[in-house]
Amino acid sequence: MDNKTIAARVQALLAEMTLEEKAAQMVQVPVAYVGHEEALRWARLGAGSFLHVLGDEARELQKAAIEETRLGIPVIFGIDAIHGHGLNDHATIFPSQLAAACSWNPEVAYTMGQVTAREVATDGLHWTFSPVLCLGRDTRWGRVDETFGEDPYLAGEMGAAIVRGYQGDDLSDGEHILACAKHYIGYGEAVGARDACDTEMTYRKLREVFLPPFKKAVDAGVASIMTAYGSIDGTPFTSDRTTLKDILRGELGFDGFVVTDWDNVTSLVHRQHVAGTVQEASVMAARAGNDMIMTTTAFYDAVIEAVRAGKLEESVLDEAVRHILTIKLRMNLFEKPEKAGRPGCFGCAEHLAKAKDAADKSLVLLANNGVLPLQPSVKKVAVIGPNADDIRAQYGDWTYFTHPKPNLAHEPVRPYVTVKEGVEAACKAIGAACVYHRGCSVLDGEYEDIAGAVSAAKDADVIVLVVGDVIPQIGEEKDRAVLELSGRQMELFDALRALGIPLVTVLVASKPLAVGRAATDADAFLCAFNGGMFGGEAVAKALFGEINPSGRLPISFPRSSGQVPVYYNSLPGWHALPGRGYCDLPRTPLYAFGEGIGYSAFAYDGLTLDEKTLEASVNVTNTGSMTGTETVQAYFSDVVSSVITPVKQLIAFRQVTLAPGETKKVSFRFAREDFSLVNRQEQRVTEPGDFVLRIGHSSRDEDLLEAAFRL
Ligand code: BGC
């Protein structure tokens, strides 16, 4: 259907709809929360959408919406399919967004989106509340695992790719679903990383740092945007017309619909205290540009009464409903309310292979004194630690263990491979022995047998210690003030280290914890984050050299909790000069954005830059003895600018696979806009003057070649 036909059909529908039908169309009902009967009542009332419902229950609600309402407008079902359709326990579970971002490979994000969409569509649903385009700059925040890391450029590239994967080229086809870029905007920037609190943000900063990933998602055609819980300079994002209308629709040209986050409307009353009643809050939210209201079912009566009392123009509802119906028509829902999907695709061989590939590409090796890869001559491996055999910790947030209601007792559904299982299988293949001991729990007081772990490991050739975090430390309202390894994990490390046996530390965690000497005093340190179903198998493959870990950090590792935030693209200042820092700690992170070594080493030389065409190239050589993939990273700095600009900012990256000894020339073509800033008038401009282009292996100064140029 072309846009003109869609617009005409929407107009015709709107002309027929009563005030009540319009208000209902704006409501999204939480099924797991209100229960089936109440959900059915809402379907008959003409609710526009439901969330957190699967398969046959969704089909029943759809039937009621179509057959038992006057206009038969189909509903859309939304679900948090965040790293795979994980609330359905038979779906394919991918690495977390943060782990996937370690691949620095938009193709990985695209594939995750595509596979997830197919499984969601097959389950009778239409819409995922993904991707998260907030930045993970303050890593105390409980939701860092859901981000693509700390950098706006990388997050935008990965975000746009996953949106394309979810939505495909045509929203009406049977295998693609709606994406939802969230949380708009600045959610990760809450002061003190206190989930959903105020941000210290100005509109200029918002435009400079936090808007670019959303712009890329809009340019990729994202069909929906979710508002954030937080606020900007005292105005909740839910009631902020500037961000929701002027910027999102006016400047970015967004033409989908906006959904609030969970109960944002009543939060205006009870949490943010900018409205006295739910009716006031509903009017504010509708006027500001929220089209669909998640979970606040009281919105329905509130706006109907408000319109009748002359406190709200019905045209505000028309506008919102127009946005929702336009997407429903673009999906061709009136003709085909349910997507065809691909029966039998849940956890099919093709999807599992994609999850394996994503897990392989998400591993980041950060330290290695030569102990890795393990040699086939190894006779005995000891796998120790609380996260070596904990599939819940390996998955992290947003699976059937955590949502719609936490259920850690849920029986894990195969297939999946933990680190213990992966290493056991690898050992078996080479005839080596493998022992496992948990050692301690991640949380204090649950389990502790450090002596038992030491005795299990004492005659091993190598110890693989798997540490990290667990579900009670991950997700909404689970911000951490202390990022050091919790429980007795450090004691376990020290006791094992004292054995003098080669020791590899593996991090299975939702985010960069302050791992300290568990990484620096180990012989090797491998970061796996939440690798999904095959995270453990990927770790084993990397340990034994079956794959050459090629991931790079999308986020910085702090040296201690007190160093957070420690993102690379900070603004300069006296105490940020090289060599300076805290009086008790360096300024630099433990592991920097872009870092990752793998089993190959790469040398850079011959950086050239043509000032006229803005074409740059550099030679990259694999100086190691194994074929490896390097991520060539390009950053720039603005030497003198009207506002303070970041010390460096990523503007491009390319991946290149090189055989041992092989050299390839890697080229970039930049545009003037790549070197832009947001000035005091909040305009994105490129200011003429001197710049420095930096290209190399990571964001660390010592890893980058420089070329000065003038614009
Ligand atoms: C989260 C969103 C999520 C929604 C629905 C909220 O609490 O902030 O990210 O999509 O719940 O589950």
Side-chain angles (χ1 to χ4, degrees):
M1 222 183 305
D2 61 33
N3 287 344
K4 232 171 126 188
T5 316
I6 290 176
R9 279 189 69 175
V10 170
Q11 201 45 48
L13 269 168
L14 270 173
E16 269 196 70
M17 287 173 88
T18 61
L19 172 60
E20 288 81 356
E21 283 162 342
K22 291 175 194 170
Q25 197 54 223
M26 292 176 72
V27 173
Q28 184 184 51
V29 181
V31 181
Y33 187 75
V34 300
H36 185 70
E37 284 314 307
E38 178 65 1
L40 263 181
R41 189 179 74 81
W42 276 103
R44 293 181 185 121
L45 219 54
S49 175
F50 294 85
L51 79 156
H52 292 171
V53 55
L54 303 172
D56 288 341
E57 189 176 8
R59 292 184 184 102
E60 197 186 326
L61 294 172
Q62 184 68 284
K63 193 165 181 292
I66 294 171
E67 293 175 7
E68 299 180 49
T69 60
R70 195 174 68 94
L71 297 171
I73 301 176
V75 300
I76 46 174
F77 296 105
I79 192 91
D80 290 280
I82 304 296
H83 50 121
H85 181 30
L87 274 57
N88 181 315
D89 56 14
H90 294 287
T92 306
I93 296 175
F94 280 88
S96 65
Q97 263 195 217
L98 186 67
C102 295
S103 70
W104 284 58
N105 185 341
E107 194 61 36
V108 167
Y110 177 85
T111 304
M112 274 174 67
Q114 193 184 40
V115 168
T116 303
R118 205 178 277 154
E119 295 191 1
V120 169
T122 307
D123 211 4
L125 315 178
H126 311 102
W127 179 21
T128 177
F129 306 126
S130 171
V132 167
L133 297 182
C134 309
L135 301 180
R137 308 215 305 179
D138 190 328
T139 46
R140 294 171 294 178
W141 187 35
R143 304 188 70 173
V144 167
D145 59 304
E146 293 182 58
T147 72
F148 283 121
E150 71 190 28
D151 179 67
Y153 180 82
L154 180 60
E157 293 298 296
M158 297 296 284
I162 203 168
V163 166
R164 291 195 185 96
Y166 286 134
Q167 297 194 165
D169 298 328
D170 179 1
L171 289 180
S172 74
D173 78 15
E175 294 197 354
H176 290 92
I177 59 171
L178 306 177
C180 181
K182 69 185 190 185
H183 309 77
Y184 184 75
I185 187 170
Y187 180 20
E189 208 57 11
V191 175
R194 287 187 285 271
D195 197 33
C197 291
D198 191 39
T199 56
E200 275 173 1
M201 211 193 285
T202 60
Y203 285 102
R204 198 197 70 79
K205 183 171 172 184
L206 180 148
R207 287 170 184 284
E208 182 160 282
V209 185
F210 303 98
L211 194 59
F214 284 95
K215 177 172 177 358
K216 281 188 185 160
V218 171
D219 290 346
V222 74
S224 72
I225 298 267
M226 188 187 294
T227 34
Y229 285 142
S231 54
I232 179 166
D233 199 15
T235 300
F237 286 116
T238 317
S239 59
D240 188 44
R241 285 178 66 104
T242 310
T243 45
L244 290 179
K245 292 210 159 172
D246 305 346
I247 298 180
L248 185 61
R249 294 200 184 267
E251 295 175 27
L252 302 194
F254 173 67
D255 67 353
F257 68 90
V258 172
V259 62
T260 70
D261 201 348
W262 191 277
D263 216 11
N264 276 13
V265 172
T266 24
S267 294
L268 294 173
V269 182
H270 301 301
R271 298 191 176 91
Q272 292 167 315
H273 310 288
V274 294
T277 63
V278 173
Q279 188 183 85
E280 266 174 55
S282 301
V283 170
M284 276 169 109
R287 282 230 173 93
N290 296 278
D291 302 315
M292 187 175 279
I293 310 299
M294 184 190 283
T295 68
T296 315
T297 46
F299 174 89
Y300 176 74
D301 287 326
V303 287
I304 293 171
E305 279 165 27
V307 172
R308 291 214 177 107
K311 294 180 192 162
L312 178 67
E313 310 70 43
E314 192 165 340
S315 60
V316 172
L317 271 56
D318 290 343
E319 191 59 20
V321 174
R322 176 173 292 116
H323 295 147
I324 295 167
L325 293 180
T326 301
I327 294 294
K328 289 187 175 181
L329 280 156
R330 278 193 207 153
M331 292 183 95
N332 200 29
L333 283 193
F334 289 77
E335 278 66 36
K336 281 201 183 132
E338 184 173 345
K339 299 232 163 212
R342 198 186 281 186
C345 75
F346 274 62
C348 65
E350 181 195 340
H351 290 187
L352 297 183
K354 301 262 162 80
K356 283 188 191 199
D357 183 60
D360 289 352
K361 291 183 171 143
S362 69
L363 293 176
V364 192
L365 184 64
L366 289 161
N368 181 20
N369 64 8
V371 66
L372 294 180
L374 299 176
Q375 297 306 308
S377 55
V378 66
K379 290 279 168 291
K380 184 171 181 182
V381 180
V383 180
I384 312 285
N387 277 1
D389 194 31
D390 182 343
I391 192 59
R392 294 163 181 81
Q394 184 172 310
Y395 282 175
D397 208 4
W398 293 110
T399 71
Y400 51 88
F401 295 124
T402 62
H403 289 86
K405 294 191 175 140
N407 183 9
L408 290 179
H410 195 304
E411 218 20 64
V413 180
R414 297 276 177 182
Y416 61 81
V417 183
T418 64
V419 176
K420 168 194 170 252
E421 293 165 345
V423 175
E424 271 171 0
C427 284
K428 200 165 164 214
I430 56 165
C434 183
V435 289
Y436 161 72
H437 199 289
R438 187 173 171 207
C440 69
S441 48
V442 166
L443 300 177
D444 257 330
E446 282 178 3
Y447 171 83
E448 196 243 307
D449 184 10
I450 292 177
V454 168
S455 124
K458 70 177 184 308
D459 58 353
D461 299 328
V462 60
I463 299 169
V464 175
L465 171 65
V466 189
V467 295
D469 59 13
V470 284
I471 299 296
Q473 297 166 305
I474 309 172
E476 284 181 64
E477 300 176 60
K478 291 177 192 148
D479 316 314
R480 289 179 65 170
V482 178
L483 290 172
E484 279 69 19
L485 289 177
S486 56
R488 306 190 68 173
Q489 296 184 90
M490 282 312 295
E491 280 172 56
L492 178 62
F493 170 80
D494 289 334
L496 294 168
R497 183 74 289 195
L499 289 172
I501 298 171
L503 190 159
V504 178
T505 300
V506 177
L507 183 71
V508 170
S510 64
K511 58 185 171 189
L513 298 174
V515 284
R517 60 179 194 285
T520 55
D521 289 0
D523 295 288
F525 177 56
L526 180 66
C527 171
F529 288 135
N530 299 120
M533 282 181 153
F534 301 106
E537 186 177 290
V539 167
K541 285 195 277 186
L543 295 177
F544 284 89
E546 198 184 313
I547 55 170
N548 183 353
S550 61
R552 302 289 182 258
L553 287 181
I555 194 162
S556 310
F557 266 72
R559 290 175 193 272
S560 89
S561 307
Q563 210 192 18
V564 168
V566 67
Y567 49 85
Y568 82 96
N569 50 353
S570 59
L571 300 182
W574 287 262
H575 299 159
L577 290 174
R580 303 230 192 137
Y582 297 95
C583 66
D584 50 4
L585 265 191
R587 175 80 174 75
T588 52
L590 183 62
Y591 299 112
F593 178 80
E595 220 176 310
I597 52 179
Y599 299 138
S600 311
F602 299 96
Y604 284 74
D605 71 285
L607 173 63
T608 61
L609 171 68
D610 182 325
E611 261 188 5
K612 286 204 183 64
T613 61
L614 294 179
E615 279 175 337
S617 70
V618 70
N619 297 320
V620 187
T621 306
N622 182 349
T623 58
S625 54
M626 206 167 165
T627 296
T629 299
E630 170 69 332
T631 298
V632 182
Q633 303 164 30
Y635 299 84
F636 88 102
S637 315
D638 193 336
V639 177
V640 179
S641 40
S642 64
V643 289
I644 303 175
T645 49
V647 289
K648 58 174 88 72
Q649 176 56 52
L650 183 75
I651 43 169
F653 58 88
R654 301 259 185 286
Q655 280 182 340
V656 55
T657 299
L658 297 169
E662 192 185 1
T663 300
K664 271 188 192 158
K665 183 169 163 173
V666 177
S667 304
F668 295 87
R669 182 169 198 146
F670 300 108
R672 281 180 73 93
E673 303 76 68
D674 293 332
F675 307 103
S676 64
L677 53 75
V678 176
N679 67 16
R680 281 180 52 119
Q681 290 71 42
E682 290 179 31
Q683 297 149 336
R684 193 164 265 287
V685 292
T686 302
E687 296 181 342
D690 291 328
F691 293 82
V692 180
L693 176 69
R694 295 190 166 86
I695 297 188
H697 170 74
S698 85
S699 69
R700 286 195 193 273
D701 287 340
E702 55 273 31
D703 281 340
L704 295 165
L705 298 177
E706 288 185 13
F709 66 104
R710 251 189 115 74
L711 282 181

